[in-house]
Amino acid sequence: MDKRKKITIIAGICAAVLLLCAGSFFLGKYVGGRSGGQKEASALPTKDGALSEAQTQTKAEDVTKEDGTVTDAQTEKDTEAEPVEAKEGLTVKYSISNSWENSGVTMYGLELGIENNTGEAIEGWKLELEFEGLASCEGWNASYSVSGNTLSVSNAEYNGAIGAGQSVTIGCNLGVEGSLSVKSAKLNGIICAVSEGSVNQNNNQNNNQNNNQGGDNQGGQVDVSELLERSENAVQGDDWLYTDGRRILDKDGKEVWLTGINWFGYNTGTNTFDGLWNSELVSTVKAIADHGFNLIRVPISAELINQWAAGEYPKANYNNAYNPTLNSMNSLEIFEYFLKLAEENGMKVMPDIHSAQTDASGHVVNLWYTDRVSVQDYYSALEWMAERYKDNDTIIAFDLKNEPHGKPNEGSAAAIWNGSKSENNWKYTAEQAAAKILAVNPNVLILVEGTEIYPMDIKNNGDYSSTDSADYYFNWWGGNLRGVKDFPVNLGKYQNKLVYSPHDYGPSVYAQPWFEGDYTYESLTKDCWYDNWLYIYDGDIAPLLIGEWGGFMREPNLKWMTYMRELIKTYHLNHTFWCFNANSGDTGGMVLDDFVTWDEEKYAFVKEVLWQEGGKFVGLDHAIPLGENGITLTEAEGL
């Protein structure tokens, strides 16, 4: 969904790469109504803070850099800052790790290095940088403030000393109006040379750095293998689930209710969870469990998984001071530490291939493959995850791909659903992907989302040859599962592992036709929900899990969200709320900007559709209770 929340300036240490990236939605993706009357989306940011589809289509000058990030060709040219004459041997270097758009502001993920070649040690520092059109900044490993076009950065407690011949590395997400242009730099009032290039990381405090981490993480070494050992209270293999008609059951035949939340970042370039620039991983995972969510959907890119599989570990960006335990881990180890924490708190995890490439805008891409990530790469990522975690029932399900989509005029670049073996046929691809996963681990649930379009006349337009929007039904990206009626997903002997997973949003994300006039719960059911996916539940075909729903607690969104909650509550539909992240621009998050303070109004709203029995939250682990106010699945009566 699209989130267009103006980035506020937050002083203090915050996140790395891709502050404004969220789950993966854009206004553009939701273009079109149920009757095929396609509308054009305006050029607005999305729920991930990336470019909307309309913007993306007009940026023909975009280029792909060697590191895989996408940036504007003119920006590439303009960001070659000319070095200023060095004074007193001080140099500030910067490198751009990522860039994206947010409400007319260009955001840059920057690494900054302060090099001290004066021959004398520096004790305490303040860096002043002048930019053209400075709009906002959120950074880490220092304290940040903005005044006009000047960014002031002061050292953290642990990196105030810069020895002779040494350097300090910091980073930020910087917003400017236009292209990046560094006009000047001063350190403690002394003019510094400024240049773009590789940022050195030879500060004495970096000697503890894990070589695989590739970052500037400070902190003492820990025994990573010991940290990653699974909880002594865990029982392996007793928590796998299966389906029976529209129900999801545990090993004893007890019906369960998956009531979870999304937390993104592994898809955006942060290479861990967003928000760890302001928060601490251990306490955050505990807080999610204590609030009663029994499942976390984790958006991730196929590209990152394949890098891990190849022994490459892109840097995880987070607040090193707040998360010192992570400083000895690479990005894969941090993910596996998260799995342990989830297990210790009685929660389960569902990885979601949110995008093929690691990119805040990656979810805008229609399909599960790109020029850089092939279909085989996509399959390989899922197979590797399935193999690696086949003996870890913390991961109980895989969401095969977030929101396949595409419009009639996009031809083979659009996701379709029919009986063919076309490369862009999502139904066929989902079957192939599921078969590869289940051949390795036959225990996990397989979630299959819908598409955006489906032919009104499947007999005469089953090959999607018509380019006329009037010939198609439209729904939210991932929300059109009309094709299940004509071409159900076939998992063979593993059919009892299939769950369909539509996404649904309110009018604040896009003004769909079914929101026109004084719509009601009944009209939403008739005009959207039933024909697109609720018939699957009603026909006892398979379970449903609403993979994304949510938004701001205000109109016009609140009315829709209240009806969606009523639907979920009435039928005990499984769901993962969008989202935990505060930096989801068009929906907001379950926490506020500090990623620590919960939005109590929103939480109270969602709490009504969290699985509870006798005033206790019900987890999905048979041995470990859910958080501090929960019970185990063994103790639960079931639905």
Side-chain angles (χ1 to χ4, degrees), residues 97-164:
S97 60
N98 209 338
S99 65
W100 65 101
E101 296 295 315
N102 179 62
S103 299
V105 173
T106 303
M107 301 298 301
Y108 294 93
L110 298 180
E111 277 198 313
L112 297 162
I114 304 172
E115 299 181 356
N116 175 21
N117 295 309
T118 63
E120 299 179 359
I122 296 173
E123 297 294 336
W125 50 267
K126 179 180 180 181
L127 176 65
E128 294 175 287
L129 297 168
E130 184 182 357
F131 297 88
E132 287 187 1
L134 180 60
S136 64
C137 181
E138 298 200 17
W140 52 97
N141 293 344
S143 295
Y144 297 75
S145 63
V146 171
S147 178
N149 287 327
T150 300
L151 172 65
S152 298
V153 189
S154 299
N155 64 268
E157 181 179 353
Y158 54 81
N159 63 5
I162 310 177

Side-chain angles (χ1 to χ4, degrees), residues 415-441:
I416 63 174
W417 189 299
N418 60 19
S420 73
K421 295 184 178 181
S422 299
E423 192 172 53
N424 65 323
N425 179 11
W426 171 234
K427 182 259 186 185
Y428 173 74
T429 300
E431 291 173 340
Q432 298 304 300
K436 294 176 185 298
I437 292 172
L438 294 169
V440 175
N441 181 0

